[in-house]
């Protein structure tokens, strides 16, 4: 038995899912068809025999009524013909009381027992005149038994014909089951086949733009396989977006790195011919080289953090947003001495605490303050406000510069995006993208818009639940 199981398991492993599903569906339908045909055969056989037995019972009742008080004898003996009445004979319990003429039907010990009242009436199959007979033996009264027999070959012929017919129906049912199983497997696994084909095509071409064609219909009424295909399409869309984002990041990074690397190479070549330069020229070239190195280093560090598309995973700690704001404003005042920074903490906001990473939140606010100071005219303030709300604290950074054009608002947080007015200013276009990434990692939302009266307004809204991820930053 274990060898049969191993053989069956090996067969299943070597056959595709479509074949296994077709075989399983066909076997199930074929089993039902064969079971129904077998049940129908036994029901037909029982009904035919039951009708024959009823005829024997009726014949016995008639013979008893017509021959009441008669002694042992052969009452009727024409049952060798199909249209003749039933053969009938009266048999005594004692063989000594048998008539001189031979009985037409076989007399056995159970017949004598019925005559003596020692046995209940019964049906039996006998053969006489070269034909099968169905015989009923029943008490006749006064120590006698009555035997009644009818030809049984019509019933047997009907049973054989029913068996042949039902066998043909069962065979047709098995064949139909095979066809239906194949159709079910082909139709049911069509989305899986398309999914497999799409996956293989993507693996071969490395192009995630391919999609699986879904059948029409509302999403709520789709079957499991169609929902799987729809989920696969959604995954392909996310993969395509991720691949496009990575390619765009590489292209933008190469574009942004080209200029500072060219400047670095130029200054390095200039310093290599330092004997031809004056001390002032060497000092300017050396300063430009150092600034270029710092710019490239900062750009590369930003790219590394943005390429991960997620925050590191240090342990969280409770951070007072007001303390982070005060620290970053103080640092910004040293970096931008010509720009006044005004910090206003609203009632209840000074005690606002959120789980987070202090260094990352400080980086977020620093990027916002640097961006505001960069666009602020000398002497105009950058206003920082922290207020408390029911759903969490809210921090705003406002400048009095030219503001953000309406057509640029949807793109200000994109990597390397720089508006026309900012292309001449220092920077790589990564600061706001990094700020939004840090904000989302801490369960906050960073938005940009126009400030009343002019300038740009950035709003950082912290959610009531803090950053996702439980005890760790995402």
């Amino acid at each position: 038995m274990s060898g049969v199981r191993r053989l069956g398991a090996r067969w299943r492993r070597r056959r595709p899912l479509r074949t296994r599903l077709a075989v399983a569906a066909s076997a199930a339908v074929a089993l039902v068809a064969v079971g129904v045909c077998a049940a129908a055969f036994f029901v037909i056989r029982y009904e035919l025999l039951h009708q024959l037995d009823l005829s024997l019972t009726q014949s016995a009742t008639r013979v008893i009524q017509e021959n009441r008080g008669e002694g042992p004898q052969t009452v009727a003996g024409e049952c060798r013909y199909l249209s003749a009445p039933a053969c009938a004979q009266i048999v005594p319990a004692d063989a000594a009381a048998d008539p001189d003429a031979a009985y037409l039907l076989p007399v056995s010990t159970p017949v004598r027992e019925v005559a003596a009242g020692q046995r209940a009436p019964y049906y039996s199959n006998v053969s006489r005149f070269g034909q099968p007979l169905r015989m009923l033996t029943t008490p006749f009264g006064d120590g006698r038994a009555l035997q009644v027999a009818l030809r049984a070959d019509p019933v047997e012929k009907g049973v054989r014909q029913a068996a042949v017919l039902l066998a043909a129906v069962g065979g047709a049912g098995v064949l139909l089951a095979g066809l239906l199983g194949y159709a079910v497997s082909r139709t049911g696994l069509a989305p899986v086949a398309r999914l497999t084909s799409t996956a293989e095509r993507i693996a071969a071409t490395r192009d995630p733009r391919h999609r699986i064609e879904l059948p029409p219909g509302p999403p709520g009424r789709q079957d499991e396989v169609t929902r799987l295909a729809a989920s696969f399409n959604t995954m392909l869309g996310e993969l395509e977006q991720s691949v496009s984002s990575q390619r765009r990041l590489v292209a933008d990074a190469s574009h942004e790195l080209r200029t500072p690397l060219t400047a670095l190479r130029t200054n390095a070549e200039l310093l290599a011919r330092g004997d031809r330069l004056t001390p002032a020229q060497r000092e300017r070239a050396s300063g430009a080289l150092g600034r270029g190195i710092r710019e490239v280093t900062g750009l590369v560090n930003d790219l590394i953090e943005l390429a991960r598309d997620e925050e590191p995973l240090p342990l969280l700690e409770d951070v007072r947003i007001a303390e982070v704001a005060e620290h970053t404003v103080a640092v910004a005042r040293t970096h931008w001495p010509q720009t006044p920074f005004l910090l206003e903490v609203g009632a209840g906001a000074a005690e606002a605490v959120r789980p987070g990473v202090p260094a990352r939140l400080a980086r977020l606010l620093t990027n916002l303050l640097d961006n505001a100071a960069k666009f602020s005219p000398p002497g105009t303030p950058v206003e920082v406000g922290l207020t408390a709300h029911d759903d969490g604290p809210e921090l705003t950074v406002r400048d009095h510069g030219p503001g953000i054009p309406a057509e640029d608002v949807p793109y200000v947080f994109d990597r390397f995006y720089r508006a026309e007015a900012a292309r001449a200013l220092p920077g790589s276009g990564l600061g706001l993208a990094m700020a939004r990434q840090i904000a989302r990692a801490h369960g906050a939302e960073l938005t940009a818009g126009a400030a009343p009266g002019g300038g740009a307004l950035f709003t950082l809204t912290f959610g009531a639940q803090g950053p996702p991820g439980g005890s760790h930053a995402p």
Side-chain angles (χ1 to χ4, degrees), residues 43 70 157 225 293 348 374 431 468:
V43 169
E70 296 290 339
K157 181 179 179 181
V225 178
I293 291 175
K374 184 169 59 175

Side-chain angles (χ1 to χ4, degrees), residues 321-322 324-326 328-329 340-346 349 364-372 381-389 392-400 413 444-452 455-462:
I321 307 302
V324 176
E326 292 171 358
T328 54
V329 167
F341 289 88
L342 306 179
L343 175 61
E344 181 180 355
V345 180
L364 186 159
L365 297 180
T366 298
N367 288 358
L368 294 180
L369 295 177
D370 289 346
N371 182 78
V382 172
E383 302 170 6
V384 182
L386 180 62
T387 56
H389 298 277
E394 181 179 273
L395 187 141
T396 58
V397 177
R398 176 191 174 167
D399 61 56
H400 292 270
F413 295 107
E445 184 62 27
L446 180 61
T447 58
L457 177 65
F458 289 86
T459 304
L460 179 65
T461 304
F462 289 88

Side-chain angles (χ1 to χ4, degrees), residues 120-380:
Y122 67 92
Y123 295 94
S124 59
N125 296 320
V126 297
S127 180
R128 205 69 171 170
F129 319 117
Q131 300 293 339
L133 300 177
R134 180 74 169 170
M135 184 174 68
L136 167 63
T137 303
T138 184
F140 190 76
D142 297 330
R144 291 167 296 176
L146 174 65
Q147 291 180 285
V148 182
L150 283 173
R151 288 271 297 270
D153 51 315
V155 173
E156 294 183 356
K157 181 179 179 181
V159 171
R160 287 195 299 269
Q161 290 176 345
V164 173
L165 180 60
L166 290 175
V169 172
V174 171
L175 179 60
L176 181 61
L179 297 176
L180 290 177
Y182 175 76
V184 167
S185 66
R186 184 178 181 85
T187 304
L189 295 179
V192 177
R194 291 196 295 269
L195 188 150
T196 304
S197 176
T198 302
E200 292 174 347
R201 188 161 58 249
I202 292 173
T205 62
R206 297 182 178 273
D207 185 1
R209 292 177 297 177
H210 299 287
R211 295 293 185 273
I212 301 173
E213 183 180 354
L214 300 178
R221 297 183 180 179
Q222 293 176 344
D223 56 24
E224 291 79 1
V225 178
T226 304
R227 291 204 301 270
L228 173 62
S231 300
F232 191 75
N233 281 344
T234 302
M235 183 189 68
L236 288 178
E238 296 293 336
L239 177 61
E240 180 184 2
Q241 183 178 358
S242 176
V243 171
S244 300
S245 178
Q246 293 296 331
R247 289 174 179 173
R248 187 168 58 253
L249 175 63
V250 172
D252 293 342
S254 63
H255 175 74
E256 292 293 332
L257 285 170
R258 187 177 296 114
T259 299
L261 289 177
T262 301
L264 284 176
R265 184 175 59 190
T266 301
N267 289 320
E269 292 175 352
L270 186 61
L271 288 175
R273 298 191 296 270
D275 54 342
R276 303 179 185 178
L277 302 177
T278 64
Q281 291 174 332
R282 283 196 298 270
E283 184 177 356
R284 286 197 301 271
S286 178
L289 184 62
R291 288 192 300 272
I293 291 175
R294 287 193 296 273
E295 181 181 354
V296 171
T297 301
L299 179 59
V300 170
N301 289 336
D302 290 345
L303 285 173
I304 291 174
E305 293 191 15
L306 285 172
R308 285 199 304 262
D309 202 26
E310 59 181 7
E311 289 296 303
L313 298 175
L315 292 175
L316 296 179
E317 58 181 281
D318 291 335
V319 181
R320 291 185 182 273
I321 307 302
E323 294 181 358
V324 176
E326 292 171 358
H327 171 72
T328 54
V329 167
V331 173
R333 286 170 179 158
T334 62
H335 290 169
W336 304 89
Q338 296 181 349
T339 303
F341 289 88
L342 306 179
L343 175 61
E344 181 180 355
V345 180
E351 303 300 325
V353 176
R354 283 293 178 274
V357 184
R360 303 299 294 165
L361 292 174
R363 179 65 180 276
L364 186 159
L365 297 180
T366 298
N367 288 358
L368 294 180
L369 295 177
D370 289 346
N371 182 78
K374 184 169 59 175
F375 288 96
S376 296
T380 58

